[in-house]
Amino acid sequence: MTEASDVTENANARLLHELPFDDRQDFDDAQRGFIATVDEFDDVLPNGLPVWNLSKFAFLDSSDAPGTVVEP
């Protein structure tokens, strides 16, 4: 994975203060409508090319998200 540039990190830091991350209503609504999770899901085409790979999003479950991600 490529590291975030200073420009990206600075833009994300500004965005964190511009958006109302303290308003959790959208997050609460999403959790209320949540049905289930898929633990492992890697789907590939017959030629072996990936269609979907959940392991690529594992960083969302950790507190060590890359600098390209805005963390509220």
Side-chain angles (χ1 to χ4, degrees), residues 49-64:
L49 291 174
V51 175
W52 192 255
N53 183 334
L54 286 182
S55 62
K56 297 286 186 182
F57 297 93
F59 69 89
L60 294 172
D61 293 329
S62 87
S63 60
D64 298 327

Side-chain angles (χ1 to χ4, degrees), residues 20-32:
F21 282 104
D22 56 333
D23 179 357
R24 306 296 296 176
Q25 187 63 53
D26 286 340
F27 296 98
D28 294 341
D29 290 346
Q31 283 294 12
R32 188 177 63 246

Side-chain angles (χ1 to χ4, degrees), residues 8-9 15 23 27-28 34-36 41 57 64 69:
T8 298
E9 288 187 3
L15 186 64
D23 179 357
F27 296 98
D28 294 341
F34 182 74
I35 297 172
F41 182 72
F57 297 93
D64 298 327
V69 175

